[in-house]
Amino acid sequence: MKKLVLAAALSAAATTAFAGNMSEPVIEAPVVVEETASSSAGGIAIPLILLAIVAVAAAD
């Protein structure tokens, strides 16, 4: 009976040693999400504000 238990324990321990393989792991590329501007007026607001400041400064 001891030999049967010992054989079962050794065979269980031996099967875990061969669980993996030697191939390279598969790594998926990360997903890149680009944010887009919500409106086209956002890019023109700053130059218009600067132009208004220059116009006010020139009027004084």
Side-chain angles (χ1 to χ4, degrees), residues 14-57:
T15 56
T16 57
F18 298 107
N21 57 9
M22 297 299 292
S23 65
E24 292 292 324
V26 176
I27 301 173
E28 296 183 15
V31 177
V32 178
V33 177
E34 292 184 21
E35 295 183 15
T36 58
S38 61
S39 66
S40 63
I44 193 103
I46 294 176
L48 287 177
I49 292 171
L50 291 175
L51 183 64
I53 292 172
V54 170
V56 169

